[in-house]
Amino acid sequence: MNRKFILNLKQRGVGDTLVTTAFADDFKRQYPDAKIKIVGTAVDEIYENNNSVYKGETDDSWETLDINYKECIDNAWLTGTGKYIDAPYVAFTRLTNIPVIKTNFTPIIKLSDKERWPTEDSPYCVLAAGSKIDMPAKQWPYKYYQELVNATKKDIRWVQVGGNDNIHVNPKLDGVKDLTG
């Protein structure tokens, strides 16, 4: 298959964007001659170093698929898992009749060479500890996140990310650099 798709995901949250990275890698692995470009996320920069996602110019030969947030949530629940990571797989298959099999269950962040090199502030880990009121199934108790930070803060700098609006729940953790919002 050598089709080309622009996925306009219309996402609001960093966590939502992170889970679509697994979809991009599964798509490219299963359809190596096809191209996918992802736009409309809360942080399109997440795909900057991801070679599974096309970053060049597009033309009229590309098929644009608009997948809105509400549709993704509905699709996640319709899969029976209630997990947002299933949403792009289900939505893409419904819109194209092309199945993409989920082989990876975690987000994939690909760093540039510069980002991989240690800095005076390294090592650090990014922590998306939040949840959303419309998707409560993914929440790990905050006290566990705080225990993790407390147990490792001598060796690891933690950076907390996540949404900061009326549907995101992101209690501030102690001992982290707060980049929520």
Side-chain angles (χ1 to χ4, degrees):
M1 177 182 72
N2 61 0
R3 290 169 69 179
K4 301 176 282 190
F5 300 96
I6 300 171
L7 264 59
N8 183 7
L9 297 178
K10 302 179 182 181
Q11 294 173 326
R12 300 184 295 221
V14 173
D16 299 337
T17 303
L18 281 171
V19 298
T20 61
T21 59
F23 170 81
D25 275 20
D26 279 339
F27 176 84
K28 190 62 176 175
R29 193 170 22 262
Q30 293 166 39
Y31 302 102
D33 295 329
K35 292 182 181 172
I36 191 166
K37 183 169 187 163
I38 297 178
V39 299
T41 71
V43 281
D44 289 338
E45 297 85 357
I46 282 178
Y47 296 103
E48 196 170 281
N49 300 301
N50 187 324
N51 59 3
S52 295
V53 177
Y54 179 79
K55 288 155 215 70
E57 296 296 317
T58 61
D59 58 30
D60 291 342
S61 67
W62 286 71
E63 300 173 57
T64 299
L65 305 175
D66 289 323
I67 302 174
N68 68 41
Y69 179 79
K70 174 77 168 101
E71 181 180 3
C72 283
I73 293 296
D74 291 346
N75 285 336
W77 286 110
L78 289 173
T79 64
T81 66
K83 295 180 180 170
Y84 189 83
I85 197 165
D86 295 329
Y89 295 85
V90 174
F92 182 85
T93 300
R94 282 189 178 175
L95 292 169
T96 64
N97 291 320
I98 299 169
V100 179
I101 298 165
K102 182 173 57 174
T103 64
N104 188 340
F105 295 82
T106 60
I108 300 164
I109 300 175
K110 298 185 179 180
L111 304 174
S112 68
D113 288 339
K114 183 179 179 183
E115 291 167 326
R116 286 188 200 120
W117 289 105
T119 67
E120 65 183 66
D121 292 335
S122 69
Y124 70 93
C125 290
V126 177
L127 185 63
S131 67
K132 294 170 39 186
I133 59 174
D134 61 348
M135 202 63 166
K138 74 166 198 157
Q139 184 55 52
W140 195 41
Y142 287 103
K143 71 177 190 170
Y144 296 157
Y145 285 109
Q146 189 63 62
E147 288 174 9
L148 174 66
V149 169
N150 293 344
T152 59
K153 65 184 173 187
K154 290 180 182 174
D155 301 314
I156 298 173
R157 291 189 56 214
W158 289 97
V159 179
Q160 184 177 0
V161 298
N164 191 12
D165 56 31
N166 61 346
I167 65 165
H168 288 88
V169 180
N170 263 311
K172 305 299 184 229
L173 296 168
D174 294 328
V176 302
K177 180 169 181 66
D178 181 14
L179 294 181
T180 58

